[in-house]
Amino acid sequence: MNRTKHLIFAAIIGLSAGAASAEEAGDGQSLMERGLTLFFEGLQEEMAPTVESLNSLMEEIGPGVQGFLEDMGPRLGAVFSKVEDWSQYHAPEMLDNGDIILRKKTPEDIEMLDEGTEDGGVEL
């Protein structure tokens, strides 16, 4: 999580530095340069509230996510290394008791999906 937060801040600082150096260039800017400067300034202004709320969210949930990854990361990695083809599984499902299960698709499920795309179904 910290890495994501740092990347976002680095991008914003980079945009700020780029806008500042473009403004220092003064009247010597081409229309493209000035347009890009205005675009990035507007983008920075629009992104500021989102970045601030993301920062607050990261401060709030970051420790919990970090703890989860420390505890469950190795176990999930072991599961992920055993699965060869994730398309052979349905989406995870949470049961009423809180258990999360992954169901493997049956040959009938796979046939229905294949037939759906051949006879005019929507391909994603």
Side-chain angles (χ1 to χ4, degrees), residues 60-95:
E60 184 179 320
I61 68 169
V65 171
Q66 184 176 359
F68 172 79
L69 290 175
E70 287 172 359
D71 292 342
M72 296 298 291
R75 293 178 185 111
L76 288 173
V79 170
F80 291 153
S81 68
K82 291 180 182 179
V83 176
E84 293 178 17
D85 183 6
W86 285 100
S87 68
Q88 299 294 315
Y89 291 84
H90 290 284
E93 185 180 332
M94 183 178 281
L95 302 179

Coordinates of all heavy atoms in Angstrom, one line a residue, residues 60-95:
E60 N -6.2 4.8 7.0 CA -7.2 4.1 7.7 C -7.1 2.6 7.6 O -7.1 1.9 8.6 CB -8.6 4.6 7.3 CG -9.7 4.0 8.1 CD -11.1 4.6 7.6 OE1 -11.2 5.8 7.3 OE2 -12.0 3.8 7.5
I61 N -7.0 2.1 6.3 CA -7.0 0.7 6.1 C -5.7 0.1 5.9 O -5.5 -1.2 5.9 CB -7.9 0.3 4.9 CG1 -7.3 0.8 3.6 CG2 -9.4 0.8 5.1 CD1 -8.0 0.2 2.4
G62 N -4.7 0.9 5.7 CA -3.3 0.4 5.4 C -2.8 -0.6 6.4 O -2.4 -1.7 6.0
P63 N -2.9 -0.3 7.8 CA -2.3 -1.3 8.7 C -3.1 -2.7 8.7 O -2.5 -3.7 8.8 CB -2.5 -0.6 10.1 CG -2.6 0.8 9.7 CD -3.2 0.9 8.4
G64 N -4.4 -2.6 8.5 CA -5.2 -3.9 8.4 C -4.8 -4.7 7.2 O -4.6 -5.9 7.3
V65 N -4.7 -4.0 6.1 CA -4.3 -4.7 4.8 C -2.9 -5.3 5.0 O -2.6 -6.4 4.5 CB -4.4 -3.8 3.6 CG1 -3.8 -4.4 2.4 CG2 -5.9 -3.4 3.4
Q66 N -2.0 -4.5 5.5 CA -0.6 -5.0 5.7 C -0.6 -6.2 6.6 O 0.1 -7.2 6.3 CB 0.3 -3.9 6.3 CG 1.7 -4.3 6.4 CD 2.6 -3.1 6.9 OE1 2.1 -2.0 7.2 NE2 3.9 -3.4 7.1
G67 N -1.3 -6.2 7.7 CA -1.4 -7.3 8.6 C -2.0 -8.6 7.9 O -1.5 -9.7 8.0
F68 N -3.0 -8.3 7.1 CA -3.6 -9.4 6.3 C -2.6 -10.0 5.4 O -2.5 -11.3 5.3 CB -4.8 -8.9 5.5 CG -5.4 -9.9 4.6 CD1 -6.2 -11.0 5.0 CD2 -5.1 -9.9 3.2 CE1 -6.7 -11.9 4.2 CE2 -5.6 -10.8 2.3 CZ -6.4 -11.8 2.8
L69 N -1.9 -9.2 4.6 CA -0.9 -9.7 3.7 C 0.2 -10.4 4.4 O 0.7 -11.4 3.9 CB -0.4 -8.6 2.8 CG -1.3 -8.0 1.8 CD1 -0.7 -6.8 1.1 CD2 -1.8 -9.0 0.8
E70 N 0.6 -10.0 5.5 CA 1.7 -10.7 6.3 C 1.2 -12.0 6.7 O 2.0 -13.0 6.7 CB 2.1 -9.8 7.5 CG 3.0 -8.6 7.1 CD 3.2 -7.7 8.3 OE1 2.8 -8.0 9.4 OE2 3.9 -6.7 8.0
D71 N 0.0 -12.1 7.2 CA -0.5 -13.4 7.7 C -0.9 -14.3 6.6 O -0.6 -15.5 6.6 CB -1.8 -13.2 8.6 CG -1.4 -12.5 9.9 OD1 -0.3 -12.5 10.3 OD2 -2.4 -11.9 10.5
M72 N -1.7 -13.8 5.6 CA -2.2 -14.7 4.6 C -1.4 -14.8 3.3 O -1.6 -15.7 2.5 CB -3.6 -14.2 4.2 CG -4.6 -14.3 5.4 SD -4.9 -16.0 5.9 CE -5.8 -16.6 4.5
G73 N -0.5 -13.8 3.1 CA 0.3 -13.8 1.8 C 0.9 -15.1 1.5 O 0.7 -15.6 0.4
P74 N 1.7 -15.7 2.4 CA 2.4 -17.0 2.0 C 1.4 -18.1 1.7 O 1.6 -18.9 0.8 CB 3.2 -17.3 3.3 CG 3.4 -16.0 4.0 CD 2.2 -15.2 3.7
R75 N 0.3 -18.1 2.5 CA -0.7 -19.2 2.3 C -1.4 -19.0 0.9 O -1.7 -19.9 0.2 CB -1.8 -19.2 3.4 CG -1.1 -19.6 4.7 CD -2.2 -19.5 5.8 NE -1.5 -19.8 7.1 CZ -1.4 -18.9 8.0 NH1 -1.8 -17.6 7.9 NH2 -0.8 -19.2 9.2
L76 N -1.8 -17.7 0.6 CA -2.4 -17.5 -0.7 C -1.4 -17.7 -1.8 O -1.8 -18.3 -2.9 CB -2.9 -16.0 -0.8 CG -4.1 -15.7 0.1 CD1 -4.4 -14.2 0.0 CD2 -5.3 -16.4 -0.4
G77 N -0.2 -17.4 -1.6 CA 0.8 -17.7 -2.6 C 0.9 -19.2 -2.9 O 1.1 -19.6 -4.1
A78 N 0.8 -20.0 -1.9 CA 0.8 -21.5 -2.1 C -0.4 -21.9 -2.9 O -0.2 -22.8 -3.8 CB 0.9 -22.2 -0.7
V79 N -1.5 -21.4 -2.6 CA -2.7 -21.7 -3.4 C -2.5 -21.3 -4.9 O -2.8 -22.0 -5.8 CB -4.0 -21.1 -2.8 CG1 -5.2 -21.3 -3.7 CG2 -4.3 -21.7 -1.4
F80 N -2.1 -20.0 -5.1 CA -2.0 -19.5 -6.4 C -1.0 -20.3 -7.2 O -1.1 -20.5 -8.4 CB -1.5 -18.1 -6.4 CG -2.6 -17.1 -5.9 CD1 -2.2 -15.9 -5.3 CD2 -3.9 -17.4 -6.0 CE1 -3.2 -15.0 -4.8 CE2 -4.9 -16.6 -5.5 CZ -4.6 -15.4 -4.9
S81 N 0.1 -20.8 -6.6 CA 1.1 -21.6 -7.3 C 0.6 -23.0 -7.7 O 1.1 -23.6 -8.7 CB 2.4 -21.8 -6.5 OG 2.1 -22.6 -5.4
K82 N -0.5 -23.5 -7.1 CA -1.0 -24.8 -7.4 C -2.0 -24.7 -8.6 O -2.3 -25.7 -9.2 CB -1.6 -25.4 -6.2 CG -0.6 -25.8 -5.2 CD -1.3 -26.5 -4.0 CE -0.2 -26.8 -3.0 NZ -0.7 -27.4 -1.8
V83 N -2.6 -23.5 -8.8 CA -3.7 -23.4 -9.8 C -3.0 -23.1 -11.2 O -2.3 -22.1 -11.3 CB -4.7 -22.3 -9.5 CG1 -5.7 -22.1 -10.6 CG2 -5.4 -22.7 -8.2
E84 N -3.2 -23.9 -12.2 CA -2.6 -23.7 -13.5 C -3.4 -22.8 -14.4 O -2.8 -22.0 -15.1 CB -2.4 -25.1 -14.2 CG -1.4 -26.0 -13.5 CD -1.2 -27.3 -14.1 OE1 -1.6 -27.5 -15.3 OE2 -0.7 -28.2 -13.5
D85 N -4.7 -22.9 -14.3 CA -5.5 -22.1 -15.2 C -6.7 -21.6 -14.4 O -7.7 -22.3 -14.1 CB -6.0 -23.0 -16.4 CG -6.8 -22.2 -17.4 OD1 -7.0 -21.0 -17.3 OD2 -7.3 -22.9 -18.3
W86 N -6.7 -20.3 -14.1 CA -7.8 -19.7 -13.3 C -9.1 -19.6 -14.1 O -10.2 -19.5 -13.5 CB -7.4 -18.3 -12.8 CG -6.4 -18.3 -11.7 CD1 -5.1 -18.2 -11.8 CD2 -6.7 -18.6 -10.3 NE1 -4.5 -18.3 -10.6 CE2 -5.5 -18.6 -9.6 CE3 -7.9 -18.8 -9.6 CZ2 -5.4 -18.8 -8.3 CZ3 -7.8 -19.1 -8.3 CH2 -6.6 -19.0 -7.6
S87 N -9.1 -19.7 -15.4 CA -10.3 -19.7 -16.1 C -11.2 -21.0 -15.9 O -12.3 -21.1 -16.3 CB -10.1 -19.6 -17.6 OG -9.4 -20.7 -18.2
Q88 N -10.5 -22.0 -15.3 CA -11.2 -23.2 -15.0 C -12.1 -23.1 -13.7 O -12.6 -24.1 -13.2 CB -10.2 -24.4 -14.8 CG -9.4 -24.7 -16.1 CD -10.3 -25.2 -17.2 OE1 -11.2 -26.1 -17.0 NE2 -10.1 -24.7 -18.4
Y89 N -12.1 -22.0 -13.0 CA -12.8 -21.8 -11.8 C -13.8 -20.7 -11.9 O -13.7 -19.7 -12.6 CB -11.8 -21.4 -10.7 CG -10.8 -22.5 -10.3 CD1 -9.7 -22.8 -11.1 CD2 -11.1 -23.4 -9.2 CE1 -8.9 -23.8 -10.7 CE2 -10.3 -24.4 -8.9 CZ -9.2 -24.7 -9.7 OH -8.3 -25.7 -9.4
H90 N -14.9 -20.8 -11.1 CA -15.9 -19.8 -10.9 C -15.3 -18.7 -10.1 O -14.3 -18.9 -9.4 CB -17.2 -20.3 -10.3 CG -17.9 -21.3 -11.2 ND1 -18.7 -20.8 -12.2 CD2 -18.0 -22.6 -11.2 CE1 -19.3 -21.9 -12.8 NE2 -18.9 -23.0 -12.2
A91 N -16.0 -17.5 -10.0 CA -15.6 -16.4 -9.1 C -15.7 -16.9 -7.7 O -16.6 -17.7 -7.4 CB -16.4 -15.2 -9.4
P92 N -14.9 -16.4 -6.8 CA -15.0 -16.7 -5.4 C -16.4 -16.4 -4.9 O -17.1 -15.5 -5.3 CB -14.0 -15.9 -4.7 CG -13.0 -15.5 -5.7 CD -13.8 -15.4 -7.0
E93 N -16.9 -17.2 -3.9 CA -18.2 -17.1 -3.4 C -18.2 -17.1 -1.9 O -17.5 -17.9 -1.3 CB -19.0 -18.3 -3.9 CG -20.5 -18.4 -3.6 CD -21.1 -19.6 -4.2 OE1 -20.6 -20.2 -5.2 OE2 -22.1 -20.1 -3.6
M94 N -18.9 -16.2 -1.2 CA -18.9 -16.1 0.2 C -20.2 -16.8 0.7 O -21.3 -16.4 0.3 CB -18.7 -14.7 0.8 CG -18.7 -14.7 2.3 SD -18.5 -13.1 3.0 CE -16.8 -12.8 2.8
L95 N -20.0 -17.7 1.6 CA -21.2 -18.4 2.2 C -21.7 -17.6 3.4 O -21.1 -16.7 3.9 CB -20.8 -19.8 2.6 CG -20.2 -20.7 1.5 CD1 -19.9 -22.1 2.1 CD2 -21.2 -20.9 0.3

